[in-house]
């Protein structure tokens, strides 16, 4: 009988397994289909007919979600796994890729960047030229009532603009103006996955319910607003990087995330509408370029002269955590500014510690208050994190609670403390975050402290039977030094896809950034936060990305003939990697010097970028040669380039020959079988510089921290006699011995006495 029971259970498990497999195979998911449009069969008069016919051959019930006509040729639809496989076998199908869900990269800048009062000076173009540039922002939408979208003083909408103001229940045509010239939303991929949008929760329109999109758009191009602040913090004049540029908002991110089919539709439409700059503060999983929707869309945009700026990601300080690393994308990391919002903690043993906060409510009493560590007053294993319902009210009531950072939202922890009867919170960093300080507009008196201070407070609690503390708030403090420092959250290199291309490209302000906000939610984004603010202070590479997008718009206005690669080159080669005292920019995660794997070429310096002297330019053909160097197949290249490309089998393609403004040399590849021998390894890189200034002679200089690699630049001097003249040079790297370390860095500079055209060099070994 026992044996019969075992047989029955085994059979039941097998049946359930097959049921599960069948259900999984029959479950529909969204796929993006890349079509070989230029080889459409003659039987069809229109490519949309062909797309529909190919789809029906695999699934009679499937419908097209989007048709893509600009950044790719193809469509998106919902299919089962078996239907997707069947469709992939159809003629004319280049690839069938399952949808990816992307996430937003969020966790005083004009003055800090030297732009205050400079945008109207002679080295930037007149207002008319600056207002002809259009920045397309793909994000959570836009709050059109924000003062940062005031169009006072702006002329007619640029004649080149082909977009529109898409309407919805909460958004009408009058929501747009001469500043916010276009707004659209793309939700079909999101709704295919989650069902129809619940309009009681989020707006099925371009309206921004979350705040992120309004913040990024106004960071890039917000109009000048005097008297701006968040609850009295950071009071002053708010303005975007390119305050006269126009904004077009493309809502592609929703409560459930940013779906690649929607992102692609937004990019496709933005290119058709006529934007000059695309700004995307989002990222997904790391994948090869032909499988990365943002990379594919950005290639098409760049080939049409559109500058594409993307956030590097918030995966730092771990190495190799970058997003958006395609060489035709400008990848932006995050640094701090010289402004902070101090909070002061006093503990019962007399020690005074510093933190940060944007709390603006009723202060705690100046007298000492009882202090507890959440891990000691919790009823769950992760109670130290102050997760919902984890604290024991009887042990928390009337006390300040120390909560560890992580897992749930920082401001949410304060509500957990409040619900348990606590009166204040000290938010302590763990080793994941180090001593990085990010300020929040907390709902109870709260100070955020770094790991070092947090450990001291917890040690004090553990060694004292009656611990006490005070928390006080210091408002806004300017002139903080050193600044900038690399933010701990900012994703780091090496480049996880192509180590030969140094990423990020540069860093820009991304910590505690003040910009416009939605009227739908309070500054913390929590449901319980009913405060209505016109501006908010938040952090992330999501914030650094639109800084560079706006600066690119300024350069585009100043130099309309420059390609996206020339604009990026100007921003990179004029960036700085040291402070005025000569010391290298610090990394807040380590408290030590950062490296080009952290900051790329350095921190952006816009007033120098407008007149860089020389640029490293790139064409579409250069990028195609790069793909050939990666051994991409013709079909893989066609997915990206949308045309037939056959790499010349008789030509040697090298990633090293891509005319990039930086150098990354993974020497383990170069060493190969000679890694343990005494034979020197020699690698050569060729670069071409274009003169965008006056006739001049430039001389090369190299500074290096490594003795194991000799660097030779030939020729040592380049003389330019006219504008747009090109000169080529070669850099030879000779590795005489394998070093004990894993990385080393150098810097190449070309200077004519007025300009310094700088390129970082990164060596890596394994």
């Amino acid at each position: 009988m026992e044996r019969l029971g075992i047989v029955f259970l085994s059979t039941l498990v097998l049946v359930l397994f097959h049921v599960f497999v069948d259900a999984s195979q029959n479950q529909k998911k969204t796929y993006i289909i890349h079509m070989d449009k230029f080889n459409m069969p003659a039987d069809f008069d229109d490519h949309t007919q062909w797309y529909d016919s190919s789809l029906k051959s695999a699934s009679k019930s499937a419908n097209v979600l989007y048709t893509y006509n600009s950044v790719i040729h193809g469509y998106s639809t919902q299919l089962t796994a078996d239907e997707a496989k069947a469709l992939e076998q159809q003629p004319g199908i280049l690839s069938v890729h399952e949808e990816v869900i992307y996430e937003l990269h969020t966790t005083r800048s004009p003055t800090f960047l030297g732009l205050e009062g400079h945008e109207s000076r002679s080295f930037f173009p007149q207002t008319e030229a600056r207002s002809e540039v259009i920045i397309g922002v793909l994000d959570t939408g836009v709050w059109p009532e924000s003062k940062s979208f005031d169009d006072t003083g702006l002329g007619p909408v640029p004649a080149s603009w082909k977009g529109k103001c898409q309407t919805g229940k909460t958004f009408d045509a009058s929501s747009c103006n001469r500043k916010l010239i276009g707004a659209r939303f793309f939700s079909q991929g999101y709704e295919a996955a989650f069902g129809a949008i619940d309009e009681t929760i989020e707006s099925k329109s371009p309206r921004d319910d979350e705040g992120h999109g309004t913040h990024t758009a106004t960071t890039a191009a917000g109009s000048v607003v005097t008297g701006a602040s968040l609850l009295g913090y950071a009071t002053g004049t708010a303005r975007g990087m390119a305050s006269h540029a126009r904004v077009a908002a493309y809502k592609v991110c929703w409560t459930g995330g940013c779906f690649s089919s929607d992102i692609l539709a937004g990019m496709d439409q933005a290119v058709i509408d006529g934007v000059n700059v695309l700004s995307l503060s989002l990222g997904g999983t790391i994948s090869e370029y032909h499988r990365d929707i943002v990379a594919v869309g950005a290639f098409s945009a760049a080939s049409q002269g559109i500058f594409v700026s993307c956030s590097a990601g918030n995966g730092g300080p771990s190495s190799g955590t970058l997003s958006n690393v395609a060489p035709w994308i400008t990848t932006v990391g995050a640094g701090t500014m010289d402004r902070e919002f101090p909070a002061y903690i006093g503990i019962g043993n007399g020690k005074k510690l510093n933190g940060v906060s944007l709390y603006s409510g009723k202060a705690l009493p100046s007298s000492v208050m009882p202090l507890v560590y959440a891990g000691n007053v919790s009823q769950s294993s992760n109670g130290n994190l102050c997760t919902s319902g984890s604290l024991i009210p009887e042990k928390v009531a009337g006390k300040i609670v120390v909560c560890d950072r992580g897992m749930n939202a920082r401001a949410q922890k304060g509500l957990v403390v409040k619900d348990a009867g606590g009166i204040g919170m000290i938010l302590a960093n763990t080793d994941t975050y180090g001593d990085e300080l990010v300020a929040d507009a907390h709902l109870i008196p709260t100070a955020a402290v770094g790991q070092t201070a947090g450990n001291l407070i917890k040690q004090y609690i553990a060694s004292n039977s009656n611990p006490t503390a005070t928390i006080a708030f210091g408002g806004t403090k300017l002139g903080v030094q050193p600044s900038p420092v690399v933010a701990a959250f900012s994703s780091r290199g090496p480049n996880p896809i192509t180590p030969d291309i140094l990423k990020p490209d540069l860093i820009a302000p991304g910590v505690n950034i003040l910009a416009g906000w939605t009227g739908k939610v309070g500054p913390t984004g929590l449901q319980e936060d009913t405060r209505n603010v016109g501006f908010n202070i938040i952090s992330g590479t999501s914030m650094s990305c639109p800084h560079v997008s706006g600066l690119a718009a300024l350069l585009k206005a100043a130099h309309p003939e420059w390609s996206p690669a020339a604009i990026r080159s100007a921003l990179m080669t004029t960036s700085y990697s040291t402070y005025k005292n000569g010391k290298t920019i610090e990394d807040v995660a380590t408290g030590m010097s950062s490296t080009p794997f952290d900051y790329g070429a350095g921190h952006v310096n816009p007033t120098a970028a407008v007149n860089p002297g020389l640029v490293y330019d790139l064409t579409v053909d250069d990028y195609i040669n790069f793909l050939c160097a990666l051994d991409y197949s013709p079909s893989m290249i066609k997915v990206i380039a949308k045309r037939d490309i056959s790499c010349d089998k008789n030509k040697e393609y090298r990633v090293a020959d891509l005319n990039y403004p930086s150098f990354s040399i993974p020497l383990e590849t170069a060493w190969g079988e000679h890694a343990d021998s005494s034979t020197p390894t020699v690698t050569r890189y060729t670069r071409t510089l274009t003169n965008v200034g006056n006739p001049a002679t430039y001389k090369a200089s190299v500074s290096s921290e490594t003795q194991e690699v000799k660097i030779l630049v030939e020729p040592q001097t380049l003389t330019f006699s006219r504008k747009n003249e090109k000169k080529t040079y070669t850099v030879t790297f000779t590795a005489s011995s394998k070093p004990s370390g894993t990385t080393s860095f150098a810097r190449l500079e070309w200077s004519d006495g007025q300009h310094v055209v700088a390129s970082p060099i990164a060596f890596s070994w394994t």
Side-chain angles (χ1 to χ4, degrees):
M1 191 72 182
E2 182 180 347
R3 184 180 176 187
L4 285 173
I6 293 172
V7 170
F8 172 75
L9 286 173
S10 299
T11 304
L12 179 60
V13 168
L14 188 61
V15 169
L16 290 174
F17 172 77
H18 284 295
V19 168
F20 173 77
V21 170
D22 290 341
S24 298
Q25 290 176 337
N26 290 324
Q27 182 182 8
K28 291 202 171 189
K29 297 180 179 179
T30 299
Y31 291 84
I32 296 172
I33 292 76
H34 295 256
M35 300 292 289
D36 189 358
K37 181 180 177 181
F38 295 116
N39 288 311
M40 181 179 73
D43 299 342
F44 298 97
D45 297 325
D46 181 78
H47 66 277
T48 57
Q49 295 175 352
W50 178 37
Y51 295 173
D52 187 64
S53 176
S54 71
L55 176 58
K56 296 304 182 188
S57 69
S59 173
K60 299 295 183 184
S61 61
N63 295 309
V64 172
L65 295 176
Y66 292 109
T67 298
Y68 307 111
N69 299 309
S70 180
V71 294
I72 74 163
H73 294 148
Y75 59 93
S76 53
T77 186
Q78 284 212 306
L79 300 168
T80 66
D82 288 341
E83 289 170 343
K85 288 178 182 177
L87 182 60
E88 202 164 16
Q89 306 308 312
Q90 295 294 321
I93 306 289
L94 291 175
S95 67
V96 177
H97 293 153
E98 186 178 332
E99 177 154 70
V100 174
I101 302 176
Y102 287 67
E103 62 181 17
L104 298 167
H105 283 159
T106 305
T107 92
R108 169 171 164 72
S109 46
T111 302
F112 181 69
L113 291 172
L115 282 177
E116 195 68 44
H118 281 62
E119 197 186 349
S120 60
R121 293 188 182 178
S122 58
F123 50 79
F124 280 110
Q126 295 302 309
T127 302
E128 292 78 8
R130 283 178 275 144
S131 65
E132 290 297 307
V133 180
I134 304 165
I135 303 176
V137 181
L138 275 71
D139 213 294
T140 63
V142 68
W143 190 262
E145 293 81 10
S146 170
K147 292 180 180 179
S148 295
F149 296 118
D150 183 6
D151 64 357
T152 301
L154 290 175
V157 172
S160 62
W161 178 242
K162 304 179 183 67
K164 70 173 187 177
C165 201
Q166 187 177 1
T167 59
K169 282 185 179 179
T170 59
F171 207 94
D172 55 37
S174 65
S175 297
C176 294
N177 58 14
R178 296 190 306 274
K179 178 66 174 180
L180 178 63
I181 62 173
R184 298 178 185 264
F185 68 94
F186 302 87
S187 62
Q188 293 182 46
Y190 173 53
E191 291 187 280
F194 283 94
I197 288 174
D198 182 350
E199 295 191 63
T200 65
I201 297 175
E202 54 185 331
S203 305
K204 190 174 181 179
S205 78
R207 183 166 293 280
D208 180 13
D209 302 310
E210 198 267 3
H212 190 276
T214 302
H215 198 280
T216 55
T218 56
T219 298
S223 298
V224 175
V225 181
T226 58
S229 75
L230 168 62
L231 305 171
Y233 287 96
T235 300
T237 299
R239 59 185 295 278
M241 297 298 98
S243 60
H244 290 88
R246 317 300 179 116
V247 175
Y250 299 85
K251 184 176 180 178
V252 298
C253 296
W254 305 83
T255 301
C258 316
F259 287 71
S260 56
S261 59
D262 295 330
I263 295 170
L264 192 60
M267 296 181 79
D268 196 67
Q269 190 61 57
V271 171
I272 294 170
D273 287 347
V275 303
N276 305 109
V277 174
L278 269 176
S279 187
L280 294 90
S281 292
L282 47 81
T285 56
I286 295 297
S287 56
E288 292 291 336
Y289 304 124
H290 68 291
R291 300 183 65 88
D292 182 342
I293 283 302
V294 170
V296 172
F299 185 96
S300 180
S303 69
Q304 298 179 60
I306 299 169
F307 180 91
V308 182
S309 175
C310 291
S311 47
N314 295 343
S318 300
S319 61
T321 51
L322 293 162
S323 300
N324 303 314
V325 295
W328 45 87
I329 291 173
T330 299
T331 311
V332 189
T336 65
M337 295 192 299
D338 62 344
R339 179 181 67 194
E340 64 181 25
F341 309 102
Y344 307 106
I345 302 98
I347 52 179
N349 61 6
K351 288 187 177 179
K352 307 293 183 182
L353 303 168
N354 295 328
V356 296
S357 183
L358 293 168
Y359 175 71
S360 64
K362 184 179 179 181
L364 289 174
S366 57
S367 57
V368 296
M369 304 301 293
L371 177 69
V372 293
Y373 175 48
N376 300 333
V377 291
S378 119
Q379 49 198 1
S380 68
S381 58
N382 59 2
N384 62 304
L385 298 171
C386 295
T387 53
S388 181
S390 63
L391 300 179
I392 301 171
E394 294 78 12
K395 297 183 178 181
V396 170
K399 298 175 182 177
I400 297 172
V401 181
V402 178
C403 300
D404 286 333
R405 182 175 167 185
M407 189 176 290
N408 55 333
R410 298 184 296 268
Q412 181 69 49
K413 296 175 187 290
L415 290 179
V416 173
V417 171
K418 181 181 179 182
D419 290 344
I423 60 170
M425 177 175 71
I426 297 173
L427 180 62
N429 281 3
T430 60
D431 56 1
T432 303
Y433 306 100
D435 284 327
E436 173 187 62
L437 296 176
V438 176
D440 295 291
H442 291 279
L443 290 159
I444 68 169
T446 297
V449 297
Q451 181 186 12
T452 303
N455 288 344
L456 286 173
I457 295 170
K458 285 181 274 190
Q459 289 167 11
Y460 160 68
I461 293 172
S463 62
N464 195 293
S465 60
N466 187 31
T468 59
T470 60
I471 302 175
F473 304 99
T476 303
K477 182 180 179 182
L478 302 177
V480 176
Q481 296 299 329
S483 63
V485 297
V486 178
F489 60 74
S490 188
S491 290
R492 315 301 172 93
N495 186 327
I497 302 297
T498 314
D500 309 71
I501 302 297
L502 181 63
K503 291 283 185 171
D505 290 312
L506 72 174
I507 61 172
V511 178
N512 296 333
I513 304 301
L514 177 79
W517 195 243
T518 176
K520 185 72 176 288
V521 296
T524 64
L526 300 174
Q527 269 189 336
E528 298 87 345
D529 189 354
T530 58
R531 295 171 294 180
N532 190 280
V533 296
F535 293 86
N536 199 7
I537 295 173
I538 55 176
S539 302
T541 54
S542 277
M543 283 63 255
S544 55
C545 168
H547 276 85
V548 169
S549 304
L551 297 176
L554 284 179
L555 295 189
K556 183 69 175 176
H559 305 285
E561 74 282 5
W562 281 8
S563 69
I567 292 173
R568 175 180 57 203
S569 174
L571 291 167
M572 289 177 63
T573 60
T574 58
S575 292
Y576 60 91
S577 59
T578 59
Y579 303 119
K580 291 179 180 179
N581 62 9
K583 292 185 178 180
T584 301
I585 290 174
E586 289 185 10
D587 180 355
V588 72
T590 63
M592 301 171 65
S593 295
S594 56
T595 77
F597 284 142
D598 306 320
Y599 57 68
H603 191 282
V604 68
N605 182 8
T607 56
V610 75
N611 181 22
L614 307 173
V615 296
Y616 294 88
D617 208 356
L618 284 162
T619 67
V620 173
D621 287 341
D622 292 323
Y623 291 130
I624 289 173
N625 289 340
F626 164 79
L627 296 174
C628 288
L630 296 179
D631 292 325
Y632 272 32
S633 68
S635 62
M636 291 160 67
I637 295 176
K638 184 179 278 191
V639 166
I640 298 171
K642 300 186 301 180
R643 56 189 171 102
D644 290 314
I645 301 291
S646 294
C647 301
D648 188 345
K649 294 181 180 179
N650 298 316
K651 179 180 178 180
E652 181 187 6
Y653 295 95
R654 301 193 317 144
V655 173
D657 290 332
L658 185 69
N659 199 39
Y660 216 71
S662 57
F663 298 84
S664 181
I665 301 97
L667 283 170
E668 69 273 12
T669 304
W671 274 77
E673 61 185 19
H674 302 296
D676 297 320
S677 73
S678 60
T679 305
T681 299
V682 179
T683 57
R684 291 183 176 86
Y685 285 63
T686 300
R687 293 288 190 270
T688 299
L689 284 163
T690 301
N691 182 34
V692 294
N694 296 322
T697 296
Y698 286 79
K699 294 182 179 179
S701 63
V702 175
S703 56
S704 178
E705 63 180 40
T706 177
Q707 301 299 315
E708 291 88 355
V709 182
K710 293 183 179 179
I711 304 170
L712 175 64
V713 181
E714 297 178 299
Q716 288 276 307
T717 301
L718 296 174
T719 299
F720 297 88
S721 58
R722 64 185 185 277
K723 195 172 184 178
N724 296 322
E725 185 178 4
K726 296 179 184 293
K727 295 281 185 177
T728 297
Y729 69 92
T730 300
V731 187
T732 303
F733 302 100
T734 303
S736 57
S737 61
K738 192 172 183 180
S740 56
T742 58
T743 60
S744 187
F745 305 95
R747 189 173 178 89
L748 166 62
E749 294 182 351
W750 290 94
S751 177
D752 65 346
Q754 179 183 358
H755 307 91
V756 175
V757 185
S759 295
I761 302 170
F763 304 103
S764 58
W765 294 265
T766 56

